[in-house]
Amino acid sequence: MKKVVKFYNSLTRKKEEIYPSNNKTIKMYSCGPTVYSYPHIGNFRAYLFMDNIRRTLKYCGYSLDGAMNITDVGHLTSDADEGEDKMLVASEREHKSPWEIAKFYTEVFMRDAKRLNINLPEHIVPATSVIPEIIKFVQGLMEKGYAYETSKGIYFEIAKFKDYGKLSGMNIEEKLAGARIAVDDKKRSPYDFVLWVKAPKEHIMQWDSPWGKGYPGWHIECSVIGDKFFGDSIDIHTGGVDHKPVHHENEIAQSNAFYGKQVVKHWMHLEFLQIDSGKMGKSLGNTYTLDDLEKQGFKPEVFRYFYFMAHYSKQQNFTREAMEGAKNSLKNMKNLVKEHKVGTNKVDTSSYQKEFIDAIADDLNMPNALAVVIKMLKEERSKDVYEAFLKFNEVLGFSLEEEEIPSDILDLAEKRWQAKKAKDFTLADNLREELSKKGFTIKDTRDGYEITKN
Ligand code: AMP
Ligand code: ZN
């Protein structure tokens, strides 16, 4: 039996029921990482949010199909069409090719996502792997009269799309009146955004296209990858609030213009992680990675617990004290779970089960869900409580094993997975052998792989 789930929709500004438009499977798209540097814990708040939605929907009885992009080309240092490609900046900084940069940071992202036990989408797709599809989509937009060519590239003409600005509530006419001079003065409006950039000769990442050599703009990859898996109907789209005013407005314009209908039904946005009540940013030098947290004595799982302590629609403040609190609470939780595992009392957990599912199905109220779990664990020691906790843990995603998998082992496992995907079976077999010598077994599953300590 399915539980009715209601999530806040940023587009309609109301809590609305989630259901699969095709009566079968909920289709969910999530904006993925730009793989030009180490992902920080703010980024991972966004992917824990995605994980939270995925696990909640599954818990509530829905089947789910998810897709996420990996941005490995075209994301400029500003979210609009200004600055340099982040991949090229990283490539100069690290004296590596943009391809090496992308490979390295994709692996770091996947490894860290695994350390956080994030339930990743079924389809994870680098932008550079869908260049022909992107070209076709841009051609489609041109044929439909939404895009035009200049000497610099192909642009989307926002004046042709009447709903532009609806998601973020911006008044585009007012904005246009006060606009700066456009970067490309051939653009019909400064807010027209680039779909395809004509590459200067020295630009490393470029592909043949009907408009000469070039590379895609940033926003188009999400419309195209969404289209590739889900066509003209996407039930849920997730991302950070920073994406609302530019990236998501542009995605909506591209997809809806292409299909002549509303493609994404439900938009969900995560508020930012702050540090010591201020903005966190790479340029401010106050971002932390999971490795930084480990050095401070916090395992990735503590950050997972910390994520549950605030609602996704509120900014969350990262402080050492809050993390210490999360660490202690998690430790207590695990100790109690262990005691319940061997408990002999009888406890009726049905009211807790109801309260828990009501909380998560009410726009992911994780602070309430956590409170229910804590209350239940205070019961007389009972296997019934243990069983109920195991069920709740499908959403919470904590590890109940004694032994955590070390990060060098996760690295090897991820390398093997990448080798397997690249059909380098010799390397994959060698890495499996190496893992086995180190005392770990790797098993392929439907969604990826599992590592266990022998
Ligand atoms: P990027 O790799 O820069 O494209 O960002 C990946 C994701 O992290 C996006 O969904 C952003 O909205 C999100 N993000 C970036 N910084 C933060 C932060 N401080 N708190 C929460 N989410 C963030
Ligand atoms: Zn996106």
Side-chain angles (χ1 to χ4, degrees):
M1 249 255 299
K2 289 190 184 71
K3 164 87 181 166
V4 172
V5 172
K6 287 189 178 173
F7 291 155
Y8 183 79
N9 184 349
S10 317
L11 187 63
T12 58
R13 296 169 176 76
K14 284 200 294 268
K15 265 191 216 174
E16 285 174 349
E17 187 179 336
I18 301 291
Y19 58 90
S21 298
N22 67 359
N23 281 324
K24 282 196 244 130
T25 305
I26 292 178
K27 297 181 172 170
M28 172 163 152
Y29 188 88
S30 303
C31 287
T34 308
V35 283
Y36 70 109
S37 68
Y38 286 96
H40 55 68
I41 52 174
N43 300 135
F44 278 113
R45 185 175 193 222
Y47 302 113
L48 282 167
F49 169 57
M50 173 186 80
D51 165 277
N52 198 186
I53 298 171
R54 286 175 55 80
R55 288 175 182 265
T56 295
L57 290 172
K58 288 182 185 173
Y59 189 88
C60 293
Y62 297 89
S63 98
L64 191 65
D65 196 19
M68 183 177 87
N69 61 307
I70 299 269
T71 302
D72 55 357
V73 67
H75 191 172
L76 305 187
T77 42
S78 107
D79 278 358
D81 302 336
E82 288 169 52
E84 283 180 87
D85 189 324
K86 292 186 180 188
M87 298 307 296
L88 300 191
V89 173
S91 148
E92 278 159 29
R93 180 184 70 221
E94 300 186 19
H95 309 290
K96 289 184 189 162
S97 76
W99 310 100
E100 288 167 325
I101 295 284
K103 183 170 182 296
F104 180 79
Y105 289 113
T106 302
E107 278 175 15
V108 172
F109 173 81
M110 299 300 273
R111 183 199 69 184
D112 281 359
K114 209 154 186 91
R115 284 161 91 188
L116 281 167
N117 200 14
I118 287 176
N119 182 271
L120 287 168
E122 287 67 21
H123 317 282
I124 298 181
V125 187
T128 53
S129 74
V130 290
I131 300 292
E133 289 93 330
I134 289 178
I135 291 173
K136 245 175 118 180
F137 201 99
V138 174
Q139 280 177 314
L141 286 173
M142 289 182 92
E143 280 157 22
K144 292 173 202 308
Y146 286 100
Y148 61 90
E149 183 172 1
T150 76
S151 55
K152 298 231 171 107
I154 312 297
Y155 289 88
F156 187 96
E157 186 168 8
I158 58 161
K160 295 266 169 73
F161 184 71
K162 69 172 175 27
D163 282 343
Y164 195 86
K166 203 171 147 193
L167 175 71
S168 50
M170 70 169 90
N171 182 334
I172 194 66
E173 259 131 46
E174 249 171 41
K175 263 193 108 166
L176 281 174
R180 290 164 295 149
I181 306 291
V183 185
D184 175 354
D185 55 16
K186 305 273 182 345
K187 284 205 299 197
R188 294 180 189 164
S189 141
Y191 290 100
D192 289 355
F193 59 90
V194 76
L195 299 166
W196 184 264
V197 187
K198 294 183 180 174
K201 270 206 179 61
E202 67 279 8
H203 203 276
I204 309 170
M205 300 180 106
Q206 46 177 291
W207 292 262
D208 284 323
S209 81
W211 319 286
K213 286 200 183 288
Y215 60 95
W218 170 39
H219 318 293
I220 192 73
E221 70 192 64
C222 289
S223 286
V224 169
I225 294 167
D227 175 53
K228 182 175 167 127
F229 295 101
F230 309 135
D232 66 356
S233 171
I234 297 178
D235 296 305
I236 305 177
H237 192 309
T238 74
V241 277
D242 56 325
H243 286 342
K244 236 171 155 182
V246 180
H247 182 53
H248 290 164
E249 291 290 7
N250 294 353
E251 268 193 52
I252 291 174
Q254 293 164 159
S255 303
N256 292 12
F258 187 85
Y259 277 110
K261 68 175 278 244
Q262 182 182 338
V263 172
V264 174
K265 192 166 58 180
H266 205 106
W267 285 86
M268 293 183 71
H269 288 100
L270 165 93
E271 264 296 345
F272 261 37
L273 182 70
Q274 307 271 101
I275 285 203
D276 297 325
S277 302
K279 200 171 153 42
M280 186 179 86
K282 291 225 171 79
S283 54
L284 300 170
N286 61 359
T287 59
Y288 295 104
T289 62
L290 290 187
D291 285 339
D292 295 331
L293 292 194
E294 292 237 49
K295 278 184 211 133
Q296 294 176 19
F298 302 118
K299 288 190 173 151
E301 222 181 16
V302 175
F303 187 66
R304 181 175 253 285
Y305 191 102
F306 169 84
Y307 164 84
F308 292 134
M309 289 162 62
H311 193 258
Y312 76 85
S313 64
K314 304 267 183 317
Q315 289 185 343
Q316 187 174 20
N317 193 24
F318 179 89
T319 61
R320 206 184 158 89
E321 298 79 74
M323 284 295 284
E324 290 291 356
K327 187 176 172 178
N328 283 334
S329 304
L330 180 61
K331 199 167 131 210
N332 289 343
M333 177 179 273
K334 287 194 173 188
N335 285 339
L336 288 173
V337 171
K338 245 191 262 166
E339 291 177 21
H340 283 290
K341 191 174 180 181
V342 292
T344 51
N345 295 294
K346 278 244 132 296
V347 172
D348 178 5
T349 60
S350 53
S351 65
Y352 296 114
Q353 297 194 41
K354 180 170 182 325
E355 282 180 51
F356 182 84
I357 201 166
D358 284 348
I360 60 173
D362 178 18
D363 200 23
L364 301 174
N365 194 335
M366 296 316 293
N368 272 7
L370 210 51
V372 174
V373 176
I374 292 166
K375 196 166 70 178
M376 181 182 78
L377 289 172
K378 289 189 180 137
E379 289 277 1
E380 298 287 335
R381 304 302 177 249
S382 160
K383 276 199 191 65
D384 302 325
V385 169
Y386 177 71
E387 297 295 331
F389 181 86
L390 285 189
K391 188 94 185 81
F392 298 164
N393 202 40
E394 289 170 18
V395 177
L396 302 173
F398 295 123
S399 138
L400 296 178
E401 286 161 24
E402 301 292 315
E403 195 81 46
E404 298 231 341
I405 311 282
S407 62
D408 59 322
I409 300 294
L410 289 174
D411 272 340
L412 282 176
E414 185 56 32
K415 282 212 178 79
R416 177 194 159 269
W417 178 244
Q418 296 298 340
K420 203 175 161 214
K421 279 212 306 207
K423 302 210 174 357
D424 187 348
F425 296 113
T426 318
L427 177 61
D429 284 345
N430 289 344
L431 288 167
R432 180 200 284 276
E433 193 60 53
E434 199 181 331
L435 279 163
S436 151
K437 279 196 195 123
K438 288 181 189 275
F440 292 85
T441 302
I442 193 152
K443 194 175 91 201
D444 289 335
T445 62
R446 209 171 62 89
D447 298 326
Y449 57 88
E450 265 171 29
I451 324 163
T452 42
K453 197 165 183 342
N454 297 338

